[in-house]
Amino acid sequence: MDLTTAYSDARHRQPDPVKRAGGRRPTNEQWVMVAAVWLLAAWSPEETTGWAATLVPGRTKSREDQQWPKPPPLPEIAEAGDLPAVSGATVLTSRVSVGPGRPYGSARSDAEVADELATSITEVTGVRGGRGEALVRLLADRIAGPYSDVLRLTTAAGASNGPGPREPLHLLHRDTWGSTLRVLLEAAPKVQQPPAFAAEGADGPLRTRIACLMTLLSELLWVDNNTPVTFRFRLDQLGQGDGNRMTEAVRWWAESGENGENVNERGEGEFQTVSAAEFPARLRNGILFNRLWDEDDAEDGEELPDGHLVAFLMDDLSDLLLTRMGEGARIACAGYPSDGAHERITVLLAAGQEAAVLEVDLT
């Protein structure tokens, strides 16, 4: 899923919270990189060195029409990146074919380029250890390949900062078909937090962060080799009422569901009460039941390796939901596996006059 799905109806009221070149919308692949940058900012401690990000989707010639064994003309780079001018560019990686019908190959391995990018990202952001380091590696891996062309840019503004540990990281990423994403990470007085929809009010930052988490989880968790696990989140008012809050939350969920569930068909009997203490583990175990998270790391049914990014993402998602709904929230879950896998996991949280639902589609 992409971030625009996660933002629900708010996306129709406000522009996408990312600067766009020529009104272009980011591709799904670009949204993964955007989500990683924004979440890295949200995960950066307040005391860390300040940094800011600029993310600009654009378009240029496809790889079939123009290969990048060396940088294309600087005016073309500037146009793709929505820049007034570019003073220089270096090829970090590119896919080149030696002739018609011949496969594309890269002079450098994806891992080598990702190592270089991870070091550069860390130098600018100051992120060290734990979940931040795991997220930096994901971002570097996605920028580096396996179907990427990447330029490192210099501009008049960037050159004025001079070399050093805080030198800006300015990249232009191109996919096979010519969609580009310009990524600028640079020093700032404080860490620039992800954008949020003004129409969401106080919940804007929460929805942005949850959208980032769900985007990255869908990138890492798969039902099979072709189908990612998808996530939906909604938060709404239950309105006045003096009845059982969870019963009212179930009715709200069933009547407002995207798949047309009827409250008489999907009622409270499906849900099991879960305590706040056990909720994070139940959510993690339910989602990971017979799910791939990284086909190079583990087989189906094996435990999640220590320090895996998926664990950090799911723990953050649980913490955000519990913090937003408060200590007195009632939690109920449906669709957790017992004798076999389910098609959907549904988590309802109710507190006061509010209800939230997290739906995980495993089909």
Side-chain angles (χ1 to χ4, degrees):
M1 60 163 286
D2 62 36
L3 288 180
T4 54
T5 299
Y7 280 119
S8 188
D9 290 340
R11 67 186 186 276
H12 302 299
R13 301 194 302 269
Q14 298 289 332
D16 293 323
V18 59
K19 185 179 180 183
R20 293 181 285 168
R24 292 193 59 81
R25 296 174 63 84
T27 66
N28 286 346
E29 179 186 11
Q30 291 170 350
W31 270 128
V32 172
M33 291 183 273
V34 170
V37 172
W38 287 353
L39 190 59
L40 188 63
W43 280 0
S44 296
E46 291 184 2
E47 64 274 12
T48 195
T49 305
W51 60 277
T54 301
L55 303 157
V56 184
R59 185 158 189 86
T60 189
K61 296 175 183 176
S62 70
R63 184 177 298 127
E64 182 179 3
D65 293 331
Q66 182 185 58
Q67 300 180 39
W68 286 0
K70 60 181 181 180
L74 296 183
E76 292 184 17
I77 298 173
E79 182 179 2
D82 193 29
L83 288 165
V86 174
S87 57
T90 303
V91 176
L92 293 186
T93 187
S94 67
R95 271 63 184 175
V96 178
S97 171
V98 297
R102 301 292 297 274
Y104 288 94
S106 178
R108 303 177 64 193
S109 71
D110 294 346
E112 179 186 356
V113 179
D115 288 343
E116 179 180 333
L117 287 171
T119 298
S120 298
I121 294 168
T122 300
E123 288 175 348
V124 176
T125 63
V127 173
R128 296 288 191 280
R131 64 184 188 178
E133 184 176 318
L135 186 55
V136 165
R137 186 67 207 195
L138 173 74
L139 176 59
D141 286 341
R142 292 307 183 270
I143 295 175
Y147 307 110
S148 303
D149 299 323
V150 184
L151 305 176
R152 182 158 188 168
L153 310 182
T154 56
T155 63
S160 65
N161 292 327
R166 299 287 285 165
E167 182 180 1
L169 177 62
H170 205 171
L171 306 171
L172 184 69
H173 174 278
R174 179 181 73 163
D175 68 13
T176 303
W177 300 276
S179 293
T180 62
L181 181 68
R182 180 165 64 87
V183 179
L184 171 61
L185 306 178
E186 59 185 337
K190 61 181 181 179
V191 177
Q192 179 190 63
Q193 289 303 302
F197 288 113
E200 299 291 353
D203 281 328
L206 170 76
R207 292 180 183 272
T208 296
R209 185 157 166 177
I210 287 178
C212 291
L213 291 168
M214 294 191 298
T215 296
L216 297 178
L217 284 168
S218 287
E219 175 72 5
L220 296 171
L221 291 167
W222 292 78
V223 177
D224 54 39
N225 290 337
N226 299 308
T227 310
V229 175
T230 55
F231 295 76
R232 301 182 187 90
F233 171 75
R234 284 178 288 138
L235 175 67
D236 206 348
Q237 295 288 321
L238 289 177
Q240 299 293 334
D242 54 5
N244 184 297
R245 292 277 87 178
M246 186 53 66
T247 299
E248 295 174 4
V250 171
R251 181 176 295 107
W252 161 78
W253 160 74
E255 293 177 345
S256 61
E258 295 181 2
N259 296 320
E261 297 94 344
N262 185 283
V263 67
N264 295 321
E265 299 173 358
R266 306 198 67 179
E268 190 172 11
E270 290 191 35
F271 289 87
Q272 299 177 2
T273 300
V274 177
S275 69
E278 65 179 334
F279 168 59
R282 288 286 299 273
L283 180 63
R284 183 194 294 189
N285 294 337
I287 293 174
L288 290 179
F289 183 83
N290 287 338
R291 303 295 154 210
L292 294 170
W293 52 87
D294 187 332
E295 54 190 349
D296 294 327
D297 283 350
E299 300 295 332
D300 289 358
E302 291 187 5
E303 293 185 1
L304 194 69
D306 291 339
H308 199 287
L309 180 58
V310 167
F312 293 124
L313 294 171
M314 289 201 293
D315 287 347
D316 193 35
L317 181 58
S318 299
D319 289 344
L320 288 174
L321 294 177
L322 292 174
T323 299
R324 173 58 181 82
M325 301 306 290
E327 295 181 0
R330 296 189 60 191
I331 307 170
C333 304
Y336 281 111
S338 53
D339 297 330
H342 286 244
E343 294 184 350
R344 173 177 295 182
I345 295 172
T346 304
V347 179
L348 278 173
L349 301 95
Q353 296 182 10
E354 291 185 314
V357 60
L358 174 68
E359 294 177 299
V360 185
D361 191 343
L362 305 173
T363 59

